[in-house]
Amino acid sequence: MDNPRKLALLSLIKSDTQECYTNIEINTVLTRAVLEKSDRALYTLLYLGVVEKKLLLDSVISQYSKSPIGEIDVETLNTLRLGLYQLIFTDRIPDYSAVDESVSLAPKRSKGFVNAVLRGFLRNGKKIEYPANSWERLSLEYSMPMGIVDLLRESYGDTVARELISYQATDFGLSIRVNTLKATPQEIYEELKSMGYAPSYSKYADDIIKCSVPASEIKDLIDTGRAFIQDESSRICAKAVGAVANEKIADVCACPGGKTFSMAIDMENKGKIKASDLHKNKLSLIEKGAKKLGIDIIDTREQNAKSYLGEYERYFDRVLCDVPCSGLGVIFKKPDIKYKDIDSIKSLPQIQYEILKNCANYVKTGGTLVYSTCTICKAENEDNIARFLSESKDFECVDFTIGDESSKGGMYTFLPHINGTDGFFVAKLRRVK
């Protein structure tokens, strides 16, 4: 059997030393590792937990270490983070076990140092010093970089910003999109129930079933194409497009394909979808997924969404621009996102706007243009739509409803602490001339 703490340490080192996405790393490790069910959960908890609380953990290390944190090697530093996370945030791991296991993981040269820091923290009653400034304290307590704190305050005001920063997601179960070309939601619901799980229907889309089930347990469901894993927010976005049979639709930032598949199913596999993406190597994900799902109306194409294609001028009934974004709406699932360079986030609205402006050319008169992101940053969302409408008089916003939620002026921002979904934004527009 593999050691879940050792695996977590290796993943943490990887995250610090190379480009690494937590969700992909977890899937890779759990696919290869030999672990009991409880150890799989422990690995995931420790790896994600340390990434999520890294700012706080590093502050504690700085308070109790005689060596500046910048001088601690990456293996020792992550061993300390791992030990402190267990001491601060876990109830079922005894303190002595957290210390002993951490010391055993530490490099030989730093075992004494790791032991001293962790035991010093315990001797001081696990005391943590926080800044006097309330926003800096909140930033440290929830390991939310001040750049993002300031951005959220600017977007939503202090009250909502505090609620977003302190929001703690608890249910990371799967959202399963039923392929109604092959099965009914009721059939999949009953199948999950017969496996001993407690599925529930999404309140926003009746073809999404939510269930706390390991992906490995529904392998047959996926392999036979009766369903695929799709975040609830992704399905809602595709639903807002309103795709129907026999239409021509463009999905201009399509990979990995979840929204493309959902629209094709909504179209009853009748019509045509042009799915394009900047990254050619990712298009095979769409092609393979479509084949598994029994969908044959999707054509893929390598294409920069900012580059104009004259052959598509006013060609499509509907165009979906699910643009690259900061991802701030999914930091509760993917905590590594919040450590992005804030300057790179600030450069995104212009890129997004250029995609929106260009792809609007492809919408026929009376057709629909949907703009979406998985962020809650208003500069990437409402501000971009306002700019577009001020410069594109041929379009107007169109109100829509998703479940019990109604848009305001053709726009809706889903917020985690209110909607219980990822944070994301949808705007629906129509070409009027």
Side-chain angles (χ1 to χ4, degrees):
M1 285 289 177
D2 289 309
N3 181 335
R5 290 180 176 85
K6 178 67 173 180
L7 292 175
L9 176 60
L10 294 174
S11 291
L12 290 167
I13 294 170
K14 185 177 179 180
S15 291
D16 272 0
T17 56
Q18 55 188 283
E19 187 173 344
C20 175
Y21 299 100
T22 52
N23 58 321
I24 296 174
E25 175 67 5
I26 289 170
N27 289 337
T28 300
V29 170
L30 292 183
T31 299
R32 298 173 179 173
V34 180
L35 294 167
E36 298 287 351
K37 185 176 181 180
S38 59
D39 283 343
R40 292 169 70 87
L42 179 60
Y43 159 77
T44 305
L45 170 71
L46 295 179
Y47 174 45
L48 270 184
V50 171
V51 173
E52 181 185 3
K53 298 295 186 182
K54 186 162 64 173
L55 293 185
L56 176 62
L57 296 171
D58 284 358
S59 177
V60 175
I61 292 169
S62 294
Q63 292 171 33
Y64 287 88
S65 168
K66 293 181 179 179
S67 300
I69 197 166
E71 296 179 5
I72 303 174
D73 67 89
V74 66
E75 187 175 358
T76 301
L77 179 60
N78 280 294
T79 304
L80 283 170
R81 289 169 175 165
L82 201 56
L84 286 169
Y85 181 83
Q86 293 171 78
L87 293 176
I88 299 169
F89 296 105
T90 61
D91 296 326
R92 298 182 180 179
I93 300 174
D95 289 348
Y96 70 85
S97 178
V99 174
D100 290 347
E101 291 284 352
S102 298
V103 171
S104 69
L105 288 175
K108 186 175 182 180
R109 65 184 179 277
S110 58
K111 287 184 183 296
F113 173 66
V114 169
N115 185 63
V117 172
L118 297 181
R119 294 199 181 279
F121 179 61
L122 287 176
R123 279 196 304 272
N124 205 29
K126 300 185 181 181
K127 182 181 177 181
I128 301 174
E129 295 180 3
Y130 290 99
N133 179 279
S134 63
W135 287 104
E136 291 178 359
R137 180 188 176 102
L138 196 68
S139 167
L140 188 59
E141 188 174 356
Y142 292 97
S143 285
M144 189 71 74
M146 278 302 299
I148 296 179
V149 170
D150 293 339
L151 188 152
L152 292 176
R153 293 178 70 188
E154 180 181 336
S155 292
Y156 294 98
D158 288 358
T159 299
V160 176
R162 285 184 185 277
E163 292 170 346
L164 286 168
I165 293 164
S166 60
Y167 174 74
Q168 301 286 289
T170 55
D171 183 10
F172 292 114
L174 296 180
S175 291
I176 302 166
R177 165 62 153 115
V178 178
N179 179 6
T180 52
L181 301 174
K182 293 188 174 186
T184 67
Q186 179 69 20
E187 288 170 348
I188 303 304
Y189 178 94
E190 293 298 335
E191 185 170 335
L192 290 166
K193 197 172 178 181
S194 69
M195 294 166 63
Y197 295 101
S200 63
Y201 291 101
S202 163
K203 63 180 180 179
Y204 297 114
D206 57 11
D207 47 26
I208 285 280
I209 296 175
K210 302 172 73 174
C211 190
S212 293
V213 54
S216 59
E217 292 293 301
I218 58 169
K219 187 175 184 299
D220 181 68
L221 200 61
I222 304 301
D223 288 347
T224 56
R226 291 177 293 148
F228 61 97
I229 297 171
Q230 182 179 30
D231 286 338
E232 196 174 16
S233 56
S234 173
R235 173 58 185 134
I236 293 169
C237 173
K239 192 176 179 70
V241 174
V244 296
N246 301 312
E247 289 187 324
K248 298 189 293 291
I249 293 177
D251 187 354
V252 301
C253 302
C255 292
K259 298 179 185 69
T260 318
F261 302 148
S262 259
M263 291 188 293
I265 295 168
D266 290 342
M267 297 165 70
E268 301 172 13
N269 199 34
K270 299 173 184 176
K272 185 60 67 176
I273 297 180
K274 300 289 186 180
S276 59
D277 199 89
L278 179 63
H279 304 288
K280 183 179 180 180
N281 61 313
K282 293 183 178 180
L283 291 173
S284 62
L285 296 174
I286 296 178
E287 294 160 1
K288 292 175 183 177
K291 184 176 181 180
K292 185 181 294 185
L293 294 165
I295 296 168
D296 58 13
I297 65 168
I298 299 172
D299 290 335
T300 62
R301 177 174 185 162
E302 178 188 5
Q303 180 64 29
N304 185 334
K306 295 191 294 182
S307 300
Y308 175 68
L309 291 172
E311 66 199 88
Y312 290 154
E313 176 73 28
R314 300 202 179 205
Y315 178 81
F316 293 101
D317 297 287
R318 303 174 196 270
V319 173
L320 171 60
C321 296
D322 182 52
V323 296
C325 70
S326 61
L328 297 183
V330 296
I331 57 178
F332 312 102
K333 290 181 179 177
K334 303 173 183 178
D336 50 306
I337 289 175
K338 61 185 175 179
Y339 304 115
K340 283 184 176 181
D341 177 22
I342 195 68
D343 289 333
S344 69
I345 292 176
K346 291 179 179 178
S347 68
L348 284 169
Q350 179 60 30
I351 297 170
Q352 296 158 342
Y353 180 77
E354 290 173 12
I355 292 173
L356 176 63
K357 183 76 171 176
N358 178 57
C359 294
N361 292 308
Y362 307 148
V363 182
K364 65 171 55 175
T365 301
T368 298
L369 174 63
V370 170
Y371 174 89
S372 64
T373 72
C374 59
T375 189
I376 50 179
C377 172
K378 288 193 175 182
E380 300 177 66
N381 297 338
E382 290 92 339
D383 292 353
N384 259 338
I385 296 300
R387 179 184 174 188
F388 175 77
L389 290 172
S390 72
E391 299 179 9
S392 306
K393 303 302 182 183
D394 292 352
F395 284 84
E396 64 180 11
C397 280
V398 181
D399 274 317
F400 59 93
T401 58
I402 299 290
D404 294 332
E405 304 297 339
S406 298
S407 67
K408 295 180 181 179
M411 294 177 274
Y412 192 91
T413 302
F414 286 78
L415 297 175
H417 69 291
I418 294 175
N419 301 103
T421 64
D422 293 337
F424 67 103
F425 173 81
V426 179
K428 189 169 185 175
L429 305 101
R430 178 173 57 219
R431 180 185 281 279
V432 294
K433 60 182 178 179

